Amino acid sequence: MARPLSREGALTALASLLLVQVVGCQHVKVEPEVLAYPGQDVTLRCQFVQDGEAKLTQVSWIWEPVNGQKQNIAVFHPNFGASYPSSPLKGRISFINSSLENPSIHITALVLGDEGKYTCEYATYPSGNDQGTTSLFVLVKPRSSADIITVPAGDSPVAVARCVAAGGRPAADVSWETAAQGNWTTVPTQNSDGTVTMTSEYLLAPTSEDNGKDISCVVKHKTLKIPARFPLKLFVEYPPQVKIFGYDNNWYIGRTEATLMCEATGNPSPTNVTWKLLSGQMPENVVISHNKLTVLKVDEAVNSTFVCEVNTRLGATREQISVNVREARETGTPAGVVAGAVIGTLLALLLLGALVAVLYTQHRRHKGAYRGGSQGAYDIKKRVFGGKKGDNNNGAPVYTFREDGSDTVAEKSGALQQGGGAPPTAQDILLGGEMDEGEKRKFDGLGEDEDESYDRFDESRPVLQLRRAGDDGGEDGGYLDDDMESQRDGSVISRTAVYV
Protein backbone atom coordinates (compact mmCIF):
# COMPACT_ATOMS: atom_id res chain seq x y z
CA MET A 1 0.00 0.00 0.00
CA ALA A 2 1.35 3.40 -0.95
CA ARG A 3 2.14 5.71 1.92
CA PRO A 4 0.73 9.27 1.77
CA LEU A 5 3.04 12.16 1.04
CA SER A 6 4.34 14.10 3.99
CA ARG A 7 3.75 17.81 4.22
CA GLU A 8 7.24 18.52 2.95
CA GLY A 9 6.79 16.06 0.08
CA ALA A 10 3.44 17.58 -0.84
CA LEU A 11 4.96 21.05 -0.97
CA THR A 12 7.77 19.72 -3.14
CA ALA A 13 5.32 18.07 -5.52
CA LEU A 14 3.25 21.25 -5.73
CA ALA A 15 6.31 23.28 -6.56
CA SER A 16 7.24 20.77 -9.23
CA LEU A 17 3.81 21.11 -10.88
CA LEU A 18 4.46 24.81 -11.35
CA LEU A 19 7.58 24.01 -13.34
CA VAL A 20 5.87 21.96 -16.07
CA GLN A 21 7.40 22.76 -19.41
CA VAL A 22 7.09 21.64 -22.98
CA VAL A 23 10.11 19.80 -24.31
CA GLY A 24 11.02 18.04 -27.54
CA CYS A 25 8.98 19.52 -30.35
CA GLN A 26 6.79 21.40 -27.90
CA HIS A 27 4.28 18.54 -28.03
CA VAL A 28 5.21 16.62 -24.85
CA LYS A 29 4.60 18.29 -21.50
CA VAL A 30 6.53 17.04 -18.45
CA GLU A 31 7.88 18.38 -15.17
CA PRO A 32 11.59 19.19 -15.50
CA GLU A 33 12.42 18.25 -11.88
CA VAL A 34 10.73 16.32 -9.10
CA LEU A 35 11.98 16.11 -5.52
CA ALA A 36 11.02 13.26 -3.21
CA TYR A 37 12.22 11.39 -0.13
CA PRO A 38 12.91 7.68 0.40
CA GLY A 39 9.74 5.73 1.21
CA GLN A 40 7.43 8.27 -0.39
CA ASP A 41 5.21 7.85 -3.47
CA VAL A 42 5.75 10.07 -6.49
CA THR A 43 3.86 10.86 -9.70
CA LEU A 44 5.65 11.67 -12.94
CA ARG A 45 3.32 13.57 -15.27
CA CYS A 46 3.28 13.48 -19.06
CA GLN A 47 0.85 14.85 -21.69
CA PHE A 48 0.86 15.15 -25.47
CA VAL A 49 -0.37 18.46 -26.90
CA GLN A 50 -1.99 18.12 -30.34
CA ASP A 51 -1.33 20.90 -32.84
CA GLY A 52 -2.09 19.09 -36.10
CA GLU A 53 -3.10 15.70 -37.50
CA ALA A 54 -0.31 13.65 -35.86
CA LYS A 55 -1.40 10.14 -35.04
CA LEU A 56 -0.27 8.69 -31.68
CA THR A 57 0.63 5.06 -31.87
CA GLN A 58 2.44 4.27 -28.58
CA VAL A 59 3.95 5.88 -25.44
CA SER A 60 6.87 4.58 -23.40
CA TRP A 61 8.71 5.57 -20.18
CA ILE A 62 12.50 5.17 -20.24
CA TRP A 63 14.54 5.32 -17.03
CA GLU A 64 18.22 6.27 -16.87
CA PRO A 65 19.66 5.67 -13.37
CA VAL A 66 22.37 7.96 -12.02
CA ASN A 67 25.04 5.34 -12.55
CA GLY A 68 23.37 2.96 -15.02
CA GLN A 69 22.04 2.31 -18.53
CA LYS A 70 18.71 3.34 -20.02
CA GLN A 71 15.89 0.86 -19.83
CA ASN A 72 12.16 0.71 -20.55
CA ILE A 73 10.05 0.61 -17.43
CA ALA A 74 6.51 1.13 -18.81
CA VAL A 75 4.82 0.91 -22.27
CA PHE A 76 1.25 1.66 -23.30
CA HIS A 77 -0.35 0.70 -26.62
CA PRO A 78 -3.98 1.55 -27.40
CA ASN A 79 -4.59 -1.95 -28.71
CA PHE A 80 -2.40 -4.04 -26.43
CA GLY A 81 -2.69 -2.05 -23.23
CA ALA A 82 0.00 -1.42 -20.58
CA SER A 83 3.20 -3.35 -20.21
CA TYR A 84 5.89 -3.15 -17.51
CA PRO A 85 9.19 -4.67 -18.58
CA SER A 86 11.49 -6.18 -15.98
CA SER A 87 13.32 -3.51 -14.01
CA PRO A 88 14.07 -2.52 -10.41
CA LEU A 89 10.82 -0.53 -10.54
CA LYS A 90 8.59 -3.40 -11.62
CA GLY A 91 5.76 -3.89 -9.16
CA ARG A 92 6.05 -0.33 -7.91
CA ILE A 93 5.25 1.52 -11.14
CA SER A 94 1.89 1.93 -12.96
CA PHE A 95 0.06 4.16 -15.43
CA ILE A 96 -2.47 6.49 -13.84
CA ASN A 97 -4.96 6.83 -16.75
CA SER A 98 -3.77 4.22 -19.28
CA SER A 99 -4.30 6.55 -22.22
CA LEU A 100 -2.14 8.05 -24.93
CA GLU A 101 -3.22 11.60 -24.14
CA ASN A 102 -2.17 11.46 -20.45
CA PRO A 103 0.21 8.58 -19.77
CA SER A 104 1.44 9.78 -16.31
CA ILE A 105 3.01 7.12 -14.09
CA HIS A 106 3.00 6.55 -10.32
CA ILE A 107 5.96 5.09 -8.39
CA THR A 108 5.56 3.86 -4.81
CA ALA A 109 7.99 3.28 -1.95
CA LEU A 110 10.85 5.24 -3.41
CA VAL A 111 14.38 4.17 -2.68
CA LEU A 112 17.61 6.01 -3.32
CA GLY A 113 18.26 3.85 -6.36
CA ASP A 114 15.13 5.17 -8.07
CA GLU A 115 16.85 8.50 -8.64
CA GLY A 116 17.62 9.36 -12.24
CA LYS A 117 16.14 10.70 -15.49
CA TYR A 118 12.67 9.57 -16.62
CA THR A 119 11.77 10.19 -20.27
CA CYS A 120 8.21 10.10 -21.63
CA GLU A 121 8.50 9.20 -25.34
CA TYR A 122 5.69 9.20 -27.93
CA ALA A 123 5.67 7.28 -31.21
CA THR A 124 3.63 9.29 -33.76
CA TYR A 125 2.76 9.11 -37.43
CA PRO A 126 3.98 10.64 -39.67
CA SER A 127 6.20 12.93 -37.43
CA GLY A 128 8.10 10.20 -35.63
CA ASN A 129 9.07 10.19 -31.95
CA ASP A 130 8.59 13.13 -29.51
CA GLN A 131 9.76 13.08 -25.90
CA GLY A 132 10.17 14.98 -22.62
CA THR A 133 12.46 14.22 -19.64
CA THR A 134 11.95 14.63 -15.90
CA SER A 135 14.81 14.47 -13.39
CA LEU A 136 13.83 12.67 -10.19
CA PHE A 137 15.85 13.50 -7.11
CA VAL A 138 15.43 11.28 -4.11
CA LEU A 139 16.53 13.57 -1.28
CA VAL A 140 18.06 12.57 1.99
CA LYS A 141 18.43 15.21 4.68
CA PRO A 142 21.95 15.12 6.05
CA ARG A 143 22.65 14.52 9.72
CA SER A 144 24.75 17.56 10.56
CA SER A 145 26.91 18.27 13.58
CA ALA A 146 29.85 20.48 14.57
CA ASP A 147 32.52 20.21 17.26
CA ILE A 148 35.44 22.20 18.60
CA ILE A 149 38.85 20.58 18.63
CA THR A 150 40.98 21.49 21.65
CA VAL A 151 44.47 22.42 20.48
CA PRO A 152 47.56 23.99 22.06
CA ALA A 153 48.81 27.32 20.82
CA GLY A 154 51.40 26.94 18.09
CA ASP A 155 52.85 28.27 14.87
CA SER A 156 51.58 25.58 12.48
CA PRO A 157 48.01 25.37 11.11
CA VAL A 158 45.93 22.65 12.72
CA ALA A 159 42.25 21.72 12.70
CA VAL A 160 40.50 23.70 15.45
CA ALA A 161 36.89 22.82 14.52
CA ARG A 162 35.11 20.09 12.58
CA CYS A 163 31.69 20.01 10.90
CA VAL A 164 30.05 16.91 9.38
CA ALA A 165 26.97 16.70 7.13
CA ALA A 166 26.49 12.93 6.97
CA GLY A 167 24.31 10.83 4.66
CA GLY A 168 22.97 13.64 2.54
CA ARG A 169 21.61 13.30 -0.96
CA PRO A 170 22.66 15.22 -2.84
CA ALA A 171 25.84 16.23 -1.06
CA ALA A 172 25.47 19.15 1.36
CA ASP A 173 27.36 22.42 1.07
CA VAL A 174 29.45 23.18 4.19
CA SER A 175 31.12 26.53 5.00
CA TRP A 176 32.45 28.47 8.04
CA GLU A 177 31.90 31.95 9.50
CA THR A 178 34.43 33.38 11.97
CA ALA A 179 36.72 36.32 12.68
CA ALA A 180 39.70 34.00 13.07
CA GLN A 181 42.35 34.22 10.37
CA GLY A 182 42.26 30.71 8.92
CA ASN A 183 40.66 28.59 6.17
CA TRP A 184 38.89 25.28 5.78
CA THR A 185 38.91 22.11 3.74
CA THR A 186 35.93 19.87 2.89
CA VAL A 187 36.15 16.18 1.90
CA PRO A 188 33.17 14.21 0.45
CA THR A 189 32.65 10.50 1.18
CA GLN A 190 30.34 8.29 -0.92
CA ASN A 191 28.26 5.93 1.19
CA SER A 192 27.06 2.51 0.11
CA ASP A 193 23.42 3.59 0.16
CA GLY A 194 24.04 6.34 -2.33
CA THR A 195 24.28 9.19 0.13
CA VAL A 196 27.26 11.49 0.58
CA THR A 197 28.96 12.55 3.79
CA MET A 198 30.72 15.94 3.79
CA THR A 199 33.46 16.48 6.39
CA SER A 200 34.86 20.02 6.81
CA GLU A 201 37.65 21.18 9.13
CA TYR A 202 38.70 24.71 9.97
CA LEU A 203 42.49 25.15 9.97
CA LEU A 204 44.32 27.76 12.02
CA ALA A 205 47.73 28.47 13.56
CA PRO A 206 46.22 29.02 17.01
CA THR A 207 47.34 31.73 19.43
CA SER A 208 46.17 32.76 22.89
CA GLU A 209 44.20 35.61 21.29
CA ASP A 210 42.15 33.08 19.28
CA ASN A 211 40.89 31.36 22.41
CA GLY A 212 37.18 32.03 22.88
CA LYS A 213 36.58 33.49 19.42
CA ASP A 214 33.23 32.72 17.79
CA ILE A 215 33.08 30.29 14.89
CA SER A 216 30.01 28.82 13.15
CA CYS A 217 29.53 25.94 10.75
CA VAL A 218 26.92 26.61 8.04
CA VAL A 219 25.24 23.69 6.22
CA LYS A 220 23.13 24.21 3.08
CA HIS A 221 21.02 21.50 1.46
CA LYS A 222 17.96 21.11 -0.77
CA THR A 223 16.03 19.64 2.11
CA LEU A 224 16.58 22.75 4.22
CA LYS A 225 14.52 25.90 3.73
CA ILE A 226 17.21 27.92 5.53
CA PRO A 227 20.85 26.98 6.16
CA ALA A 228 21.61 25.14 9.40
CA ARG A 229 24.07 26.96 11.70
CA PHE A 230 26.15 25.51 14.49
CA PRO A 231 27.77 28.24 16.67
CA LEU A 232 30.94 27.32 18.56
CA LYS A 233 33.84 28.96 20.40
CA LEU A 234 37.48 28.19 19.73
CA PHE A 235 39.34 26.48 22.54
CA VAL A 236 43.08 27.12 22.39
CA GLU A 237 45.28 26.02 25.28
CA TYR A 238 48.28 28.17 26.22
CA PRO A 239 50.62 28.50 29.22
CA PRO A 240 49.72 31.03 31.93
CA GLN A 241 50.59 34.69 31.46
CA VAL A 242 51.41 36.57 34.70
CA LYS A 243 51.41 40.26 35.63
CA ILE A 244 51.93 41.98 39.02
CA PHE A 245 50.01 45.15 39.88
CA GLY A 246 49.81 47.48 42.88
CA TYR A 247 53.35 48.78 43.38
CA ASP A 248 53.35 52.61 43.20
CA ASN A 249 57.06 53.22 43.93
CA ASN A 250 56.12 54.88 47.21
CA TRP A 251 56.60 52.21 49.84
CA TYR A 252 58.00 54.08 52.84
CA ILE A 253 58.84 52.86 56.31
CA GLY A 254 55.72 52.78 58.42
CA ARG A 255 53.24 52.59 55.54
CA THR A 256 50.38 50.20 56.21
CA GLU A 257 48.35 47.88 53.99
CA ALA A 258 50.72 47.99 50.98
CA THR A 259 49.31 45.51 48.45
CA LEU A 260 50.48 43.57 45.41
CA MET A 261 48.13 41.68 43.06
CA CYS A 262 49.20 38.79 40.83
CA GLU A 263 46.92 38.41 37.81
CA ALA A 264 47.28 35.29 35.68
CA THR A 265 45.49 34.23 32.53
CA GLY A 266 45.72 30.98 30.62
CA ASN A 267 43.87 27.99 29.23
CA PRO A 268 43.26 25.99 31.26
CA SER A 269 42.64 28.70 33.83
CA PRO A 270 45.41 28.96 36.44
CA THR A 271 44.37 27.96 39.94
CA ASN A 272 47.69 27.58 41.74
CA VAL A 273 49.34 30.94 42.58
CA THR A 274 52.48 31.03 44.77
CA TRP A 275 54.23 34.10 46.25
CA LYS A 276 57.95 34.00 47.06
CA LEU A 277 60.61 36.42 48.25
CA LEU A 278 63.71 36.29 46.09
CA SER A 279 66.05 37.03 49.01
CA GLY A 280 64.73 34.31 51.30
CA GLN A 281 61.83 33.62 53.62
CA MET A 282 58.70 35.76 53.53
CA PRO A 283 58.62 38.31 56.45
CA GLU A 284 56.06 37.90 59.23
CA ASN A 285 54.35 41.20 58.44
CA VAL A 286 53.28 39.88 55.02
CA VAL A 287 49.87 38.25 54.58
CA ILE A 288 49.08 36.19 51.45
CA SER A 289 45.56 35.38 50.24
CA HIS A 290 45.66 33.45 46.96
CA ASN A 291 46.81 36.05 44.37
CA LYS A 292 46.89 38.99 46.84
CA LEU A 293 49.95 39.90 48.94
CA THR A 294 49.53 42.49 51.71
CA VAL A 295 52.32 44.08 53.77
CA LEU A 296 50.73 45.04 57.07
CA LYS A 297 53.47 47.58 57.86
CA VAL A 298 56.36 48.39 55.59
CA ASP A 299 59.88 48.03 56.99
CA GLU A 300 63.35 47.17 55.69
CA ALA A 301 62.48 43.46 55.58
CA VAL A 302 60.32 43.96 52.47
CA ASN A 303 63.01 45.91 50.62
CA SER A 304 63.45 42.99 48.24
CA THR A 305 62.07 41.30 45.11
CA PHE A 306 58.68 39.57 45.20
CA VAL A 307 57.99 36.67 42.84
CA CYS A 308 54.57 35.39 41.71
CA GLU A 309 54.58 31.90 40.20
CA VAL A 310 51.62 30.23 38.45
CA ASN A 311 51.41 26.55 37.50
CA THR A 312 49.16 24.65 35.06
CA ARG A 313 49.52 21.29 33.36
CA LEU A 314 51.10 23.13 30.44
CA GLY A 315 53.92 24.46 32.61
CA ALA A 316 54.86 27.18 35.09
CA THR A 317 55.22 30.92 34.53
CA ARG A 318 56.61 33.50 36.97
CA GLU A 319 56.79 37.27 37.23
CA GLN A 320 58.77 39.38 39.71
CA ILE A 321 58.89 42.97 40.94
CA SER A 322 61.55 44.77 42.99
CA VAL A 323 60.34 46.92 45.89
CA ASN A 324 62.38 49.95 46.99
CA VAL A 325 61.52 50.97 50.56
CA ARG A 326 61.95 54.69 51.28
CA GLU A 327 62.75 56.29 54.60
CA ALA A 328 59.99 58.89 54.28
CA ARG A 329 56.83 59.30 52.28
CA GLU A 330 57.23 60.88 48.89
CA THR A 331 54.83 63.80 48.59
CA GLY A 332 55.33 64.58 44.98
CA THR A 333 57.68 64.24 42.08
CA PRO A 334 60.39 66.92 41.53
CA ALA A 335 58.95 67.67 38.16
CA GLY A 336 55.55 68.35 39.73
CA VAL A 337 57.06 70.62 42.37
CA VAL A 338 59.03 72.62 39.79
CA ALA A 339 56.03 72.94 37.54
CA GLY A 340 53.87 74.14 40.43
CA ALA A 341 56.47 76.71 41.48
CA VAL A 342 56.84 78.07 37.95
CA ILE A 343 53.10 78.36 37.46
CA GLY A 344 52.64 80.02 40.86
CA THR A 345 55.41 82.55 40.15
CA LEU A 346 53.93 83.47 36.79
CA LEU A 347 50.50 83.98 38.30
CA ALA A 348 51.94 86.15 41.08
CA LEU A 349 53.81 88.32 38.55
CA LEU A 350 50.69 88.75 36.46
CA LEU A 351 48.63 89.79 39.47
CA LEU A 352 51.34 92.18 40.67
CA GLY A 353 51.60 93.78 37.23
CA ALA A 354 47.84 94.23 37.04
CA LEU A 355 47.76 95.80 40.52
CA VAL A 356 50.57 98.23 39.68
CA ALA A 357 48.82 99.24 36.46
CA VAL A 358 45.56 99.94 38.27
CA LEU A 359 47.25 101.98 41.02
CA TYR A 360 49.31 103.95 38.53
CA THR A 361 46.24 104.75 36.45
CA GLN A 362 44.30 105.93 39.49
CA HIS A 363 47.25 108.00 40.70
CA ARG A 364 47.63 109.78 37.38
CA ARG A 365 43.92 110.43 37.15
CA HIS A 366 43.89 111.75 40.73
CA LYS A 367 46.80 114.15 40.20
CA GLY A 368 45.58 115.36 36.82
CA ALA A 369 42.12 116.12 38.14
CA TYR A 370 43.23 118.04 41.22
CA ARG A 371 46.01 119.97 39.52
CA GLY A 372 43.97 121.26 36.60
CA GLY A 373 45.59 118.90 34.15
CA SER A 374 44.24 117.50 30.98
CA GLN A 375 41.19 116.14 32.75
CA GLY A 376 39.62 119.59 32.62
CA ALA A 377 40.43 123.12 33.70
CA TYR A 378 38.84 124.66 36.79
CA ASP A 379 37.65 128.25 37.04
CA ILE A 380 38.11 129.60 40.57
CA LYS A 381 35.30 132.06 40.08
CA LYS A 382 32.91 129.16 39.68
CA ARG A 383 33.99 127.41 42.88
CA VAL A 384 31.03 125.87 44.60
CA PHE A 385 30.52 126.43 48.34
CA GLY A 386 27.09 124.90 48.59
CA GLY A 387 24.12 123.70 46.55
CA LYS A 388 20.40 123.97 46.24
CA LYS A 389 17.97 121.23 47.06
CA GLY A 390 18.21 118.40 44.67
CA ASP A 391 21.92 118.90 44.03
CA ASN A 392 24.81 117.12 45.70
CA ASN A 393 25.21 119.77 48.46
CA ASN A 394 22.39 118.49 50.67
CA GLY A 395 20.06 121.41 49.92
CA ALA A 396 22.50 124.22 50.93
CA PRO A 397 22.64 127.46 48.90
CA VAL A 398 25.03 127.66 46.00
CA TYR A 399 27.46 130.64 46.05
CA THR A 400 29.90 131.77 43.39
CA PHE A 401 32.25 134.73 42.91
CA ARG A 402 30.78 137.49 40.84
CA GLU A 403 31.98 137.88 37.29
CA ASP A 404 32.53 141.65 37.63
CA GLY A 405 35.76 141.20 39.59
CA SER A 406 34.44 142.68 42.83
CA ASP A 407 35.60 139.61 44.80
CA THR A 408 32.20 139.24 46.40
CA VAL A 409 30.09 136.16 46.81
CA ALA A 410 26.62 135.87 45.33
CA GLU A 411 24.01 133.12 45.49
CA LYS A 412 23.43 131.27 42.23
CA SER A 413 19.97 129.99 41.53
CA GLY A 414 20.97 127.41 38.97
CA ALA A 415 22.23 123.92 39.61
CA LEU A 416 25.84 123.06 40.10
CA GLN A 417 27.86 123.50 36.98
CA GLN A 418 29.73 120.44 35.96
CA GLY A 419 33.27 120.80 34.91
CA GLY A 420 35.22 118.55 32.66
CA GLY A 421 37.55 117.49 35.51
CA ALA A 422 37.45 116.58 39.20
CA PRO A 423 36.73 119.19 41.95
CA PRO A 424 39.74 121.36 42.98
CA THR A 425 41.40 121.12 46.35
CA ALA A 426 41.25 123.66 49.15
CA GLN A 427 44.68 124.91 48.15
CA ASP A 428 43.43 125.47 44.59
CA ILE A 429 40.67 127.72 45.92
CA LEU A 430 42.77 129.66 48.40
CA LEU A 431 45.72 130.13 46.05
CA GLY A 432 43.63 130.91 42.95
CA GLY A 433 44.16 134.69 42.94
CA GLU A 434 41.15 135.82 45.01
CA MET A 435 43.12 136.06 48.30
CA ASP A 436 45.13 138.95 49.63
CA GLU A 437 48.86 138.71 50.16
CA GLY A 438 48.47 137.83 53.84
CA GLU A 439 46.37 134.80 53.11
CA LYS A 440 48.62 133.57 50.32
CA ARG A 441 51.65 133.69 52.58
CA LYS A 442 50.04 131.03 54.76
CA PHE A 443 50.49 128.48 51.92
CA ASP A 444 53.89 129.51 50.64
CA GLY A 445 55.60 127.06 52.96
CA LEU A 446 53.39 124.06 52.14
CA GLY A 447 55.15 121.19 50.39
CA GLU A 448 53.75 118.73 47.96
CA ASP A 449 52.86 116.27 50.68
CA GLU A 450 51.19 118.90 52.82
CA ASP A 451 49.31 120.19 49.80
CA GLU A 452 47.94 116.74 49.03
CA SER A 453 46.92 116.33 52.67
CA TYR A 454 44.26 119.02 52.18
CA ASP A 455 42.90 117.07 49.25
CA ARG A 456 42.61 113.91 51.31
CA PHE A 457 41.01 115.68 54.29
CA ASP A 458 43.32 114.48 57.02
CA GLU A 459 41.45 114.83 60.28
CA SER A 460 44.73 115.18 62.18
CA ARG A 461 45.35 118.60 60.60
CA PRO A 462 43.44 121.83 61.25
CA VAL A 463 40.65 122.53 58.78
CA LEU A 464 40.47 125.75 56.85
CA GLN A 465 37.62 128.11 57.71
CA LEU A 466 36.36 131.40 56.37
CA ARG A 467 34.35 133.92 58.39
CA ARG A 468 32.47 137.00 57.49
CA ALA A 469 34.11 140.31 58.47
CA GLY A 470 33.20 141.44 61.89
CA ASP A 471 32.28 137.98 63.16
CA ASP A 472 34.19 136.90 66.25
CA GLY A 473 37.68 137.89 65.43
CA GLY A 474 37.25 139.16 61.89
CA GLU A 475 39.76 141.92 61.31
CA ASP A 476 39.89 142.90 57.66
CA GLY A 477 36.36 142.43 56.50
CA GLY A 478 37.21 139.30 54.44
CA TYR A 479 36.68 135.63 55.13
CA LEU A 480 38.80 133.93 57.73
CA ASP A 481 40.38 130.62 56.78
CA ASP A 482 39.56 128.88 60.06
CA ASP A 483 35.81 128.82 59.31
CA MET A 484 35.97 126.64 56.12
CA GLU A 485 35.86 122.86 56.30
CA SER A 486 37.31 120.69 53.53
CA GLN A 487 35.11 117.86 52.22
CA ARG A 488 36.16 114.45 50.89
CA ASP A 489 35.02 115.34 47.37
CA GLY A 490 37.43 118.29 47.25
CA SER A 491 34.95 121.07 48.09
CA VAL A 492 34.98 123.35 51.17
CA ILE A 493 31.93 124.36 53.17
CA SER A 494 31.67 127.19 55.66
CA ARG A 495 30.82 126.23 59.23
CA THR A 496 28.98 129.50 59.70
CA ALA A 497 26.35 131.21 57.70
CA VAL A 498 27.47 133.24 54.74
CA TYR A 499 25.79 136.50 53.96
CA VAL A 500 25.86 138.69 50.86
Side-chain angles (χ1 to χ4, degrees):
M1 179 178 179
R3 286 179 291 179
L5 287 174
S6 65
R7 179 182 178 184
E8 189 172 5
L11 292 175
T12 302
L14 180 61
S16 300
L17 289 175
L18 299 177
L19 297 176
V20 175
Q21 66 177 6
V22 178
V23 296
C25 298
Q26 302 299 315
H27 293 153
V28 181
K29 266 188 174 182
V30 295
E31 298 167 345
E33 183 178 286
V34 173
L35 306 178
Y37 293 92
Q40 289 184 342
D41 297 347
V42 66
T43 297
L44 303 182
R45 304 181 184 281
C46 181
Q47 183 180 6
F48 189 87
V49 179
Q50 286 282 3
D51 62 351
E53 296 182 355
K55 185 176 180 181
L56 306 179
T57 59
Q58 181 177 293
V59 62
S60 302
W61 279 93
I62 303 171
W63 173 47
E64 183 181 359
V66 175
N67 297 314
Q69 299 297 321
K70 292 182 179 180
Q71 53 186 306
N72 288 330
I73 57 175
V75 178
F76 179 79
H77 190 278
N79 296 329
F80 301 104
S83 174
Y84 304 99
S86 179
S87 74
L89 295 171
K90 188 173 183 179
R92 296 185 294 118
I93 186 172
S94 62
F95 284 99
I96 296 177
N97 295 319
S98 297
S99 68
L100 293 177
E101 290 76 14
N102 187 10
S104 300
I105 59 175
H106 186 72
I107 303 174
T108 62
L110 284 176
V111 296
L112 293 179
D114 295 340
E115 189 175 84
K117 293 181 179 180
Y118 290 79
T119 301
C120 178
E121 183 179 81
Y122 276 92
T124 68
Y125 180 84
S127 300
N129 293 343
D130 282 342
Q131 64 184 17
T133 301
T134 297
S135 295
L136 174 63
F137 293 96
V138 180
L139 305 179
V140 178
K141 184 178 180 179
R143 302 178 302 275
S144 302
S145 62
D147 299 290
I148 284 294
I149 303 174
T150 300
V151 296
D155 298 328
S156 300
V158 294
V160 296
R162 181 180 292 112
C163 187
V164 178
R169 188 180 180 98
D173 177 36
V174 181
S175 60
W176 294 88
E177 294 179 352
T178 182
Q181 300 300 313
N183 50 51
W184 68 85
T185 60
T186 304
V187 178
T189 302
Q190 294 290 336
N191 301 317
S192 59
D193 60 357
T195 61
V196 181
T197 296
M198 304 295 290
T199 303
S200 181
E201 291 182 339
Y202 194 86
L203 305 177
L204 176 69
T207 65
S208 58
E209 288 77 13
D210 293 319
N211 183 55
K213 284 186 177 180
D214 294 327
I215 184 170
S216 295
C217 173
V218 181
V219 177
K220 299 178 181 179
H221 193 261
K222 286 188 175 182
T223 61
L224 302 174
K225 294 181 179 180
I226 59 174
R229 296 179 180 272
F230 300 88
L232 304 168
K233 287 186 179 295
L234 296 177
F235 195 85
V236 180
E237 293 185 332
Y238 58 95
Q241 300 173 353
V242 183
K243 290 184 180 180
I244 298 177
F245 298 93
Y247 181 60
D248 57 1
N249 200 30
N250 192 24
W251 284 26
Y252 53 89
I253 295 178
R255 177 176 174 176
T256 59
E257 299 295 329
T259 302
L260 295 177
M261 297 293 295
C262 181
E263 292 188 2
T265 58
N267 188 22
S269 298
T271 57
N272 185 15
V273 179
T274 304
W275 285 96
K276 297 179 181 179
L277 198 64
L278 195 62
S279 59
Q281 188 175 3
M282 194 70 70
E284 295 181 356
N285 60 339
V286 175
V287 176
I288 297 175
S289 176
H290 189 50
N291 66 329
K292 181 179 180 181
L293 182 147
T294 303
V295 180
L296 301 179
K297 190 173 183 179
V298 176
D299 56 17
E300 290 292 341
V302 296
N303 190 39
S304 183
T305 300
F306 290 89
V307 179
C308 176
E309 185 175 279
V310 179
N311 292 276
T312 66
R313 60 181 174 81
L314 298 180
T317 305
R318 63 190 310 183
E319 179 72 6
Q320 65 184 36
I321 187 169
S322 297
V323 173
N324 181 23
V325 176
R326 305 175 182 274
E327 294 184 358
R329 180 176 183 178
E330 185 177 283
T331 58
T333 60
V337 174
V338 172
V342 171
I343 294 175
T345 302
L346 291 177
L347 290 176
L349 291 175
L350 289 174
L351 291 175
L352 181 60
L355 180 61
V356 170
V358 171
L359 294 177
Y360 178 76
T361 303
Q362 291 182 348
H363 177 70
R364 293 282 301 217
R365 184 180 301 170
H366 178 79
K367 291 188 65 176
Y370 286 85
R371 293 293 175 268
S374 61
Q375 298 296 328
Y378 188 82
D379 188 354
I380 192 63
K381 293 184 178 182
K382 296 182 179 180
R383 182 70 176 114
V384 179
F385 290 93
K388 289 184 178 293
K389 184 177 181 179
D391 296 324
N392 294 329
N393 293 309
N394 299 324
V398 177
Y399 294 90
T400 63
F401 287 96
R402 296 185 182 275
E403 299 293 337
D404 55 5
S406 61
D407 292 338
T408 58
V409 180
E411 181 179 357
K412 184 177 180 180
S413 60
L416 218 110
Q417 292 186 354
Q418 300 296 328
T425 65
Q427 183 180 356
D428 293 333
I429 298 173
L430 298 177
L431 299 181
E434 279 73 27
M435 297 182 295
D436 58 17
E437 293 300 326
E439 290 175 329
K440 291 182 179 180
R441 282 195 296 271
K442 295 181 181 180
F443 296 91
D444 290 340
L446 292 177
E448 180 68 17
D449 293 337
E450 293 176 0
D451 183 22
E452 291 182 359
S453 66
Y454 285 97
D455 298 342
R456 293 190 299 268
F457 185 59
D458 188 353
E459 294 181 358
S460 64
R461 298 176 180 271
V463 296
L464 297 178
Q465 297 178 341
L466 295 176
R467 293 183 181 175
R468 188 178 177 86
D471 290 349
D472 297 333
E475 298 176 357
D476 55 2
Y479 289 90
L480 300 180
D481 59 359
D482 61 349
D483 192 40
M484 300 302 292
E485 182 178 43
S486 296
Q487 302 298 305
R488 294 184 181 273
D489 59 359
S491 63
V492 291
I493 300 176
S494 174
R495 291 185 176 180
T496 59
V498 178
Y499 301 93
V500 178

